Amino acid sequence: PSVRVAARTLIDLLASEGFDHVDAIKLDVEGAEDLILEPFLRLAPDSLLPRLFLIENGTGRWQVDLPKLLERRGYKLIAKTRVNLAFERV
């Protein structure tokens, strides 16, 4: 069975909590990382882009090429484990 929950975009959440910068984000949402990060990477000003992203590796489940989107915003893959990808903004 499915469950409906209220959701907010990451950029709206950061704004509502008063964040003006983010150092790092760890995201593990069972293959939905692209759904959260694609709008954030498209809309976030440079000042909100964290230096480090650590995300669960869901490349087989993502609807978009998340590593390519991160690369376009200045990130480089710096580590890959069996379950996680680490990107640093250079």
Side-chain angles (χ1 to χ4, degrees), residues 10-11 14 19-25 37-53 69-75 87-90:
L10 180 56
I11 198 164
L14 294 173
F19 284 89
D20 60 0
H21 78 281
V22 178
D23 295 319
I25 292 179
L37 292 180
E38 187 278 328
F40 178 75
L41 292 168
R42 185 170 29 87
L43 300 171
D46 285 349
S47 61
L48 271 183
L49 294 177
R51 181 170 174 233
L52 183 70
F53 270 113
L69 290 176
L70 286 160
E71 183 180 300
R72 285 188 199 134
R73 287 303 305 258
Y75 291 89
F87 292 89
E88 183 175 33
R89 193 149 191 253
V90 290

Side-chain angles (χ1 to χ4, degrees), residues 52-90:
L52 183 70
F53 270 113
L54 183 61
I55 58 175
E56 183 181 27
N57 187 351
T59 53
R61 297 180 282 184
W62 293 332
Q63 298 173 27
V64 298
D65 187 345
L66 192 49
K68 180 71 81 183
L69 290 176
L70 286 160
E71 183 180 300
R72 285 188 199 134
R73 287 303 305 258
Y75 291 89
K76 179 180 177 181
L77 180 65
I78 59 168
K80 182 177 183 178
T81 69
R82 186 177 56 81
V83 295
N84 290 305
L85 302 172
F87 292 89
E88 183 175 33
R89 193 149 191 253
V90 290

